[in-house]
Amino acid sequence: MGVTEDLFVQQHEPHDTHAIEATVRVGATSPPAPRGLPARYAAVAVGSALLIFASAAYVPAGPGSGAPLRGAITVLATALGLWLLIITSMPRQASRSIRRAYQRIRGLALGFALALVVCTLLAFMGYVAYTVAVPPSQGYQVDVISFTHVNAELALDGRNPYTSDAYFPIALQRFPHAQLTPMRQGIYADTYTFPTLPELAALGPRYLANPQALHGVLDPRTLHSYPALSFLFYVPALWAGVPNILYVNLLVYWLFFAWLLWLTPVGWRHWGALAAGAAVPVMGASLFLDNEIICVAFILLAWHFRDRRWLFAMLLGLGCAFKQYCWFFAPFLLLAVLIEHGWREAFRRSILVFGVFLLPNLPYLIASPGAWWESLWLPMNDPMFPMGQGLIALSTGHLLPLGPQSLYAALEGAALCTALYCYWRWHEQIGDAALLLAILPLFFAYRSGPPYFALAPWLALYAVNRIYTARRAHLAPEERMAGSAYALAQSVTARLSSYPLLPPALGRMVHLAQRERYSVNGWRKRTDERDGDGGADATGRGTASGTHRTRRNLVGRRGGSAYRAHRGDQPATQRRGSQALRHGADRSARSGRSARARRAARTAAWRARDDQRSFRGRWNSGDPRPDGARPNPR
């Protein structure tokens, strides 16, 4: 029997939170590659379903509106959905009992995810057809979109939106179907029950007929209640003649989708696409009814590139300049910089982020500082109705008495401080799930609408992609490709090749599929040649030398016996000498040595690399190779 290796990926952060350590245990059994929908992707789909169920139950309309049972179901579904997504995003491996239980329901999970994808596609096609067929004057359904359109037009005409309250009735006339945000004052001063949909539809015509009749139910200042980038972001599209700003949201959605799919491990991208498509709340609550999709795009890119000072500061600053929703994520991103790079670097980046935040807001801050500052805090200071799918649903459902707005603000602040402490204390165990911890304070907010939680499935999907990519980087190529569509195609072509009477075209396809450049071993050979020159490690970071990478490839991909054979062929002094030469070549190439010294260092590095590649050639030809390894097709 040959010796196999069991790779356990452990996340550690002595100086870098992204570092991945592979520990080799000789004599154990390699973990079986999952066949079917991976468990974490299935958990993302289930979490998405729970959030969309909670958002549907939250809507203050229909039968049972305001009923205690409806409020309890909303809170329970939201809490379970967030908990499941947070647990899924953590790098800790599930217990053996959970893995065995999932094996029994893997088919059911796949069918459930496919059903969610079908719902997403149907809703998406309906929304797109409606957006294309209906003009913006009738297509905008919420005031967030309609007011943003008006503010972008004002900025394009050279006017200051923060001092243009006179355009509020014009916006109501242009977009009569947009649902408005009522204030709990005037005719609604004595009630906490949110107005019904017919009452909301009648507020606009009543205000246009007589603004004083509502006694402040509609506040003209809500026309401009976000930072400047919230409308400047759409100015180029309007300048280019795009009639509907929802097209910009749609473009960001597809770019974001493609980027998440690109982060999915190779061979599993069909599963990544399935999990991303199952995230129904992303499409429904943040694409056509709001613009949180752009906020999370800024935040997630800033988190992904947080090792690059200027890019991180630019992305996070622009996100904070777009909407106040991004402010909840900023402390977690800066805390991650503090943990990884120290307080000096965190202080520098905080200043840079603040500078980028002021960049689009500076003209309006200089022109009207009072109006600009007051507009930023309108969502927190205006007397609005309590609503949402968080803890407030227990009060709107009359299960708990409704407390003052300051109580929920205190709960929100306490939840934020607790989440920050948990990430600082257990950042190794939390990992990329810190992005989901930033959403937890909104669960306790006075207003916790569905758009606040709509992007949680994609945040979890990003973390899951990072976990799977890091773990599969240490597997052999045949195990890495197991369970993928490519492996399925190979098995089908292998079956077809056993039939002698095939149509000519199909026979040529089978022949092409069996060529070495399409085989796993050929892909493995090209990968080893690429990895021998250093390149990137398991997390995508560059390494100064390929020695450590080559050693890990020999352990993880060739087997322990092959690696020991390599060590036996080369004396210890020669191994240390070749490694020192390679490291010296890398150092001399980066230093200011003479051209002669650099040429000598490069020559030594090439010789060491040739020695390693000669061993790879012997292994690929079958001599030596560990027991049970596949011979090269050639």
Side-chain angles (χ1 to χ4, degrees):
M1 295 298 291
V3 181
T4 58
E5 286 74 31
D6 187 9
L7 295 176
F8 295 90
V9 179
Q10 299 175 351
Q11 200 170 20
H12 67 95
E13 304 173 19
H15 301 289
D16 192 345
T17 54
H18 301 293
I20 301 295
E21 179 184 9
T23 304
V24 182
R25 188 176 67 189
V26 180
T29 304
S30 181
R35 301 184 181 277
L37 181 63
R40 293 181 185 264
Y41 289 145
V44 171
V46 175
S48 303
L50 289 171
L51 289 181
I52 194 62
F53 178 76
S55 62
Y58 130 86
V59 177
S65 177
L69 181 60
R70 187 169 179 177
I73 291 176
T74 300
V75 175
L76 182 60
T78 305
L80 286 178
L82 291 177
W83 174 81
L84 182 60
L85 292 177
I86 291 174
I87 294 299
T88 304
S89 304
M90 292 183 180
R92 180 179 179 181
Q93 191 174 8
S95 62
R96 183 174 299 179
S97 59
I98 295 178
R99 294 197 300 269
R100 289 179 178 176
Y102 178 70
Q103 294 296 329
R104 300 187 184 97
I105 61 171
R106 187 184 294 273
L108 181 62
L110 178 59
F112 183 73
L114 288 174
L116 290 178
V117 170
V118 171
C119 294
T120 302
L121 290 177
L122 292 178
F124 183 82
M125 290 187 294
Y127 271 121
V128 171
Y130 181 80
T131 303
V132 173
V134 179
S137 58
Q138 301 177 3
Y140 292 164
Q141 300 297 317
V142 291
D143 56 355
V144 174
I145 304 298
S146 60
F147 290 169
T148 301
H149 190 117
V150 173
N151 290 330
E153 290 180 340
L154 291 174
L156 189 60
D157 294 338
R159 297 185 178 91
N160 187 355
Y162 294 103
T163 58
S164 301
D165 293 350
Y167 284 85
F168 182 75
I170 298 177
L172 299 185
Q173 290 177 353
R174 288 186 57 188
F175 307 101
H177 298 282
Q179 180 179 325
L180 302 175
T181 302
M183 301 293 130
R184 197 178 51 83
Q185 58 188 6
I187 60 176
Y188 294 127
D190 299 331
T191 180
Y192 286 92
T193 303
F194 195 81
T196 61
L197 295 180
E199 292 176 352
L200 289 176
L203 288 179
R206 292 178 62 183
Y207 182 87
L208 294 176
N210 184 9
Q212 305 299 328
L214 297 180
H215 302 286
V217 172
L218 296 181
D219 189 359
R221 297 179 302 172
T222 57
L223 180 67
H224 45 79
S225 57
Y226 298 112
L229 193 62
S230 62
F231 54 85
L232 293 178
F233 187 82
Y234 299 96
V235 168
L238 295 180
W239 175 81
V242 178
N244 197 325
I245 65 173
L246 290 179
Y247 293 153
V248 180
N249 293 358
L250 189 63
L251 177 62
V252 174
Y253 174 85
W254 281 115
L255 291 177
F256 199 5
F257 184 92
W259 183 65
L260 286 176
L261 194 61
W262 178 72
L263 293 178
T264 307
V266 176
W268 280 14
R269 285 178 176 163
H270 56 297
W271 300 128
L274 184 67
V280 185
V282 178
M283 183 275 306
S286 66
L287 184 59
F288 296 97
L289 303 179
D290 217 315
N291 50 14
E292 265 75 11
I293 183 72
I294 299 174
C295 298
V296 177
F298 278 124
I299 292 301
L300 200 52
L301 287 173
W303 176 269
H304 187 75
F305 295 106
R306 64 185 181 275
D307 288 338
R308 304 182 184 182
R309 177 189 298 173
W310 289 97
L311 185 58
F312 168 85
M314 183 184 66
L315 291 170
L316 182 56
L318 292 178
C320 294
F322 186 85
K323 207 169 185 179
Q324 294 91 331
Y325 179 73
C326 298
W327 296 1
F328 290 91
F329 294 88
F332 290 89
L333 272 72
L334 294 175
L335 180 59
V337 174
L338 175 65
I339 294 172
E340 298 172 13
H341 303 286
W343 67 270
R344 289 185 177 87
E345 181 66 17
F347 180 72
R348 295 190 191 100
R349 295 197 189 187
S350 301
I351 296 176
L352 292 175
V353 168
F354 184 71
V356 175
F357 167 78
L358 288 180
L359 189 61
N361 292 281
L362 192 59
Y364 305 103
L365 175 61
I366 296 174
S368 54
W372 175 82
W373 179 260
E374 186 180 6
S375 297
L376 292 185
W377 302 101
L378 280 178
M380 285 73 80
N381 294 333
D382 270 356
M384 297 184 181
F385 282 91
M387 58 177 292
Q389 61 185 76
L391 187 65
I392 194 66
L394 296 178
S395 299
T396 57
H398 307 290
L399 278 174
L400 293 178
L402 183 66
Q405 192 169 353
S406 58
L407 173 63
Y408 296 95
L411 291 175
E412 194 174 358
L416 178 61
C417 295
T418 304
L420 286 172
Y421 173 77
C422 290
Y423 178 62
W424 173 77
R425 180 64 178 82
W426 297 288
H427 54 272
E428 297 182 3
Q429 291 81 6
I430 292 175
D432 293 324
L435 295 172
L436 289 164
L437 293 182
I439 304 179
L440 281 183
L442 295 171
F443 180 80
F444 302 92
Y446 188 73
R447 292 174 62 87
S448 54
Y452 295 159
F453 310 100
L455 271 297
W458 275 14
L459 294 177
L461 179 60
Y462 167 81
V464 169
N465 286 339
R466 298 273 293 174
I467 294 171
Y468 280 148
T469 301
R471 290 184 177 180
R472 288 169 64 83
H474 304 284
L475 296 177
E478 56 268 18
E479 295 178 352
R480 190 182 307 177
M481 303 296 289
S484 65
Y486 175 77
L488 178 62
Q490 274 204 332
S491 64
V492 172
T493 54
R495 293 285 186 90
L496 292 177
S497 62
S498 61
Y499 295 94
L501 300 178
L502 287 177
L506 186 58
R508 285 193 297 270
M509 291 174 59
V510 173
H511 174 69
L512 289 175
Q514 289 180 335
R515 289 177 58 178
E516 188 231 347
R517 69 189 182 96
Y518 290 108
S519 66
V520 172
N521 289 340
W523 176 86
R524 175 173 55 193
K525 180 180 179 181
R526 293 193 303 274
T527 304
D528 291 339
E529 293 176 356
R530 180 191 62 200
D531 293 344
D533 297 333
D537 58 7
T539 60
R541 297 175 177 272
T543 55
S545 172
T547 304
H548 175 69
R549 177 92 180 215
T550 303
R551 185 184 302 115
R552 190 180 62 203
N553 289 344
L554 291 173
V555 175
R557 297 182 183 178
R558 300 294 185 248
S561 58
Y563 179 60
R564 285 191 296 274
H566 169 57
R567 294 179 61 90
D569 292 344
Q570 192 178 18
T573 56
Q574 185 178 355
R575 288 199 307 271
R576 288 193 296 268
S578 62
Q579 293 174 7
L581 286 174
R582 295 198 58 189
H583 285 286
D586 294 334
R587 286 194 299 270
S588 62
R590 295 191 298 269
S591 62
R593 296 186 180 182
S594 63
R596 186 176 212 178
R598 289 197 297 270
R599 284 197 299 270
R602 282 196 297 268
T603 303
W606 290 338
R607 289 176 179 174
R609 191 177 300 120
D610 290 340
D611 293 340
Q612 294 170 354
R613 287 182 178 177
S614 63
F615 168 72
R616 294 196 188 106
R618 292 197 306 272
W619 195 94
N620 285 330
S621 62
D623 183 25
R625 61 184 178 91
D627 296 337
R630 295 183 179 181
N632 191 281
R634 299 176 61 182

